[in-house]
Amino acid sequence: MKLPSKEECLKILKEADVPANIIAHTSKVCEIAEKISDRLIKKNIKVNKNLVAAAAMLHDVKKLSRNDHIIEGYNYIKSLGYPEVAEVMRTHGLVHVENEEFFPKTVEQKIVFYADKRANGDKLVSVDERFEYIMKRYDRIKEVRRELEITKDIEKELLGEDTEL
């Protein structure tokens, strides 16, 4: 499995003209994802931490796309020769979460999905704080409630009752 380093991820983001604020967000998501990975590894849960880090760094590479940024990012990273990273990235979003194909299933997918819901910009926030922001920003209240429920289920699966990071 070929995985880009964090430095290579930053280069990919810059070459794709990703703005600094989105790079700051993806860097925070990566930091959170690595902390979660470490906690799970300490519990003897097998996690490919390098895959998690790469997918977290690159998950919003096409955030400013006029089309679906998840599909665009998936296709772009896959075209660069990182299909495993693209697969983890593909399940990070909320908009497709009801579609089985896009639902996070592997531990790496769940970590990146969840870490993205704990980062508002470049700040670590609670899931509730993040969803409060999402509800204000996007006019999809019904869908967001379902997405919050899914995120809380993944949070419990990954972290149990101790959600402090």
Side-chain angles (χ1 to χ4, degrees), residues 103 110 114 146-160:
F103 194 86
K110 290 175 183 179
Y114 177 73
R146 174 70 180 126
E147 294 155 359
L148 174 59
E149 182 182 307
I150 291 165
T151 302
K152 291 279 193 172
D153 288 345
I154 289 173
E155 177 177 61
K156 186 166 277 196
E157 182 182 340
L158 294 175
L159 302 177

Side-chain angles (χ1 to χ4, degrees), residues 14 20 27 75 96-97 102 109:
K14 288 176 183 172
S27 295
N75 289 330
H96 297 290
V97 82
F102 291 89
Q109 289 172 335

Side-chain angles (χ1 to χ4, degrees), residues 101-155:
E101 180 183 350
F102 291 89
F103 194 86
K105 295 174 192 73
T106 70
V107 68
E108 290 84 6
Q109 289 172 335
K110 290 175 183 179
I111 292 168
V112 173
F113 174 89
Y114 177 73
D116 187 39
K117 308 313 168 280
R118 291 292 305 267
N120 195 12
D122 64 351
K123 305 277 187 281
L124 172 66
V125 296
S126 70
V127 168
D128 291 329
E129 288 173 283
R130 178 73 162 127
F131 274 86
E132 187 178 311
Y133 168 80
I134 290 168
M135 283 194 224
K136 287 179 185 170
R137 177 145 190 216
Y138 304 103
D139 189 27
R140 300 171 24 252
I141 299 296
K142 182 182 173 191
E143 295 91 343
V144 170
R145 285 196 182 112
R146 174 70 180 126
E147 294 155 359
L148 174 59
E149 182 182 307
I150 291 165
T151 302
K152 291 279 193 172
D153 288 345
I154 289 173
E155 177 177 61

Side-chain angles (χ1 to χ4, degrees), residues 29 39 55 94 100 112 161:
V29 172
R39 279 178 60 171
L94 292 169
E100 189 66 26
V112 173
E161 297 301 320

